[in-house]
């Protein structure tokens, strides 16, 4: 039984961040992965989704640009590039890279079987370590739908089947209107699939500002996507090569595939931590502001159920590595950007107006129609769409939230993110000189319209 400085369980973005920094610092590290090194994000989520979304986005941009024809979408070529980007689901180069750097690579499901020191079992082998980092991510949340167990993976898709699809289905029923449902639904629709999205809540992306959700719904109307709000799938059954679904209102839908996009659930319960006295919070592994679950036990990413984004997992990984290496670093989740890579892009950061008021903030808001105020949307598109919303704290004169709907919103939302995180005074933001013509100019217009 070898004793190591650290064992990292789960080699998605959070785990890889920790492992890379510890190995670089000369620590003896074991990395454990039961699927593929790179994790869900690299093979079945963030990377393939954005690759798949880009060609339909380019086509939409081309159609909207003056003097450009309507380019054809080449599905075989897109599928081939997608396979290249996900490494043909082969992580052998990544495994060899870690071994060359001196890491011990363990393949299989891990169990934490002891503490003081921490002891991790993978298959028939056990190792001890001063530090164990849990970065096992999350699994698909499966809604309670009658008949679901009778459907096979050919017609019942999670994000894994959806992002590795080989043929475009004629029709799809997407269960859930969160970021995953919106992105996959719009991709399929723009590839020619008849898409219906069923959302339990009153609006798509219902954790965001209602106005932003309204803009997304309007875009889906343009895309020909059917949305059923305040509804859910009650039962399903196999019907020929597809699925027959019955909604809560009695509506019956026949679809080629059904896509589960109703959220994800932490996988912390699979490690045996409860038997060692480490309490879970539901399915999640709770951590303190150092990303520490117990002395010598750390967690990063979706397993903590705190802001379940890849960029947060990587941030937590940096915090953990710094603390293991002797620094005293606390995590600060102020102003984490949230982006949906639809077309146009959807982005938000900080608090919504309702959330601000719930916290007792004297909130003041402003919304700017970027197509009416800026030149940049019109230099990109002959029929542009774009809006920017701000939420400010009247008492302290700072931004506490922002949302954006428009081309490249994933990039320029970071102006608001930085302002919120650093508490930059609105008076100072109003005195900046944004580049012309850019979407960033919209901030100046929105800031000047805040009633402070």
């Amino acid at each position: 039984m070898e004793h190591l400085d650290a064992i990292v369980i789960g080699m998605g973005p959070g785990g890889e961040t920790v492992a890379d920094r510890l190995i670089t610092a000369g620590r003896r590290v074991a990395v454990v992965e039961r699927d593929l090194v790179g994790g869900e994000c690299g093979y079945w989520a963030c990377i393939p989704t954005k690759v798949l979304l880009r060609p339909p986005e380019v086509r939409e941009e081309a159609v909207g640009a003056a003097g450009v024809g309507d380019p054809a979408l080449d599905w075989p070529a897109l599928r081939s590039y997608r396979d290249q980007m996900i490494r043909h689901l082969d992580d052998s180069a990544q495994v060899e890279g870690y071994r060359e750097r001196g890491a011990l690579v363990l393949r299989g499901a891990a169990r934490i079987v002891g503490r003081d020191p921490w002891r991790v079992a993978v298959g028939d082998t056990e190792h001890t370590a001063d530090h164990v980092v849990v970065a096992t991510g999350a699994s698909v949340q499966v809604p309670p739908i009658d008949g679901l167990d009778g459907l096979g993976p050919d017609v019942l898709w999670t994000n894994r089947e959806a992002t590795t699809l080989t043929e475009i289905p004629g029709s799809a029923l997407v269960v859930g209107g969160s970021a995953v449902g919106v992105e996959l639904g719009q991709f399929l629709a723009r590839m020619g699939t008849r898409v219906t999205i069923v959302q339990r809540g009153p609006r798509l992306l219902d954790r965001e500002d209602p106005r932003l959700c309204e803009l997304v719904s309007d875009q889906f109307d343009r895309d020909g996507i059917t949305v059923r709000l305040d509804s859910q799938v009650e039962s399903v059954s196999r019907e020929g090569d597809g699925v027959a679904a019955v909604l809560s209102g009695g509506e019956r839908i026949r679809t080629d595939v059904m896509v589960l996009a109703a959220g994800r659930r932490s996988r912390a319960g699979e490690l045996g931590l409860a038997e060692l006295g480490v309490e879970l919070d539901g399915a999640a592994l709770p951590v303190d502001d150092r990303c520490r679950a117990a002395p010598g036990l750390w967690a990063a990413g979706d397993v903590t159920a705190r802001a379940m984004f890849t960029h947060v997992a990587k941030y937590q990984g940096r915090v953990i590595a710094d603390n293991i290496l002797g620094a005293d670093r606390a995590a600060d989740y102020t102003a984490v950007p949230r982006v949906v890579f639809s077309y146009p892009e959807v982005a938000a950061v900080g608090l919504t107006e309702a959330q601000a008021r719930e916290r007792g903030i004297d909130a003041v808001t402003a919304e700017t129609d970027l197509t009416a105020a800026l030149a940049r949307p019109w230099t990109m598109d002959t029929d542009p769409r774009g809006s920017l919303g701000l939420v400010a704290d009247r008492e302290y004169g700072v931004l506490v939230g922002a949302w954006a709907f428009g081309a490249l919103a994933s990039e320029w939302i970071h102006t608001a993110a930085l302002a919120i995180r650093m508490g930059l005074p609105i008076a100072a933001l109003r005195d900046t000189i944004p580049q012309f013509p850019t979407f960033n100019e919209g901030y100046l217009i929105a800031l000047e319209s805040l009633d402070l």
Side-chain angles (χ1 to χ4, degrees), residues 303-422:
V303 73
T304 69
R306 178 175 292 185
M308 297 168 76
F309 304 112
T310 293
H311 43 294
V312 171
K314 295 171 73 172
Y315 171 67
Q316 291 175 320
R318 297 193 296 272
V319 170
I320 291 170
D322 283 352
N323 281 300
I324 290 176
L325 293 173
D328 182 22
R329 181 177 178 183
D332 179 355
Y333 301 99
T334 303
V336 174
R338 309 181 296 274
V339 175
V340 182
F341 289 85
S342 54
Y343 184 87
E345 289 182 350
V346 173
V349 65
L351 305 176
T352 65
E353 178 183 4
Q355 291 168 340
R357 295 195 187 282
E358 287 172 3
R359 296 189 183 192
I361 295 172
D362 182 9
V364 56
T365 66
E367 178 182 343
T368 296
D369 179 349
L370 302 179
T371 67
L374 304 182
R376 182 55 173 154
W378 295 94
T379 66
M380 293 188 68
D381 199 318
T382 56
D383 183 24
R385 290 178 295 285
S387 294
L388 170 65
L390 300 179
V391 182
D393 183 326
R394 190 193 307 269
E395 179 181 359
Y396 292 98
V398 296
L399 290 180
V400 295
W403 58 262
F405 178 79
L408 304 175
S410 60
E411 304 294 338
W412 44 274
I413 193 64
H414 289 86
T415 295
L418 181 60
I420 294 168
R421 187 172 182 85
M422 302 308 296

Side-chain angles (χ1 to χ4, degrees), residues 158-214:
T158 66
N159 63 289
R160 291 199 171 196
E161 290 79 17
T163 56
T164 57
L165 80 170
T166 57
E167 300 298 333
I168 303 297
S171 57
L173 176 62
V174 179
V175 181
S178 63
V180 174
V182 167
E183 289 183 356
L184 291 176
Q186 192 178 56
F187 161 71
L188 290 170
R190 297 204 165 194
M191 295 300 293
T193 303
R194 297 184 306 279
V195 174
T196 300
I197 296 181
V198 178
Q199 166 72 332
R200 290 187 61 180
R203 55 187 184 269
L204 298 172
L205 304 176
D206 55 6
R207 295 182 181 181
E208 300 299 346
D209 188 279
R211 174 61 179 146
L212 181 55
C213 303
E214 180 183 318

Side-chain angles (χ1 to χ4, degrees), residues 57-117:
E57 178 184 63
V58 170
R59 182 179 185 180
E60 188 76 7
E61 291 174 346
V63 170
V68 179
D70 185 351
L73 292 172
D74 184 341
W75 169 239
L78 171 53
R79 182 177 59 200
S80 176
Y81 184 65
R82 183 273 318 273
D83 291 343
Q84 176 185 332
M85 287 295 293
I86 63 174
R87 305 163 185 155
H88 299 276
L89 301 181
D90 178 6
D91 68 348
S92 55
Q94 284 64 44
V95 170
E96 185 59 29
Y98 279 107
R99 286 176 174 154
E100 288 177 353
R101 297 179 64 194
L104 176 63
V105 179
L106 304 173
R107 305 306 301 253
R111 295 275 298 178
I112 301 177
V113 296
R115 59 188 299 178
D116 302 321

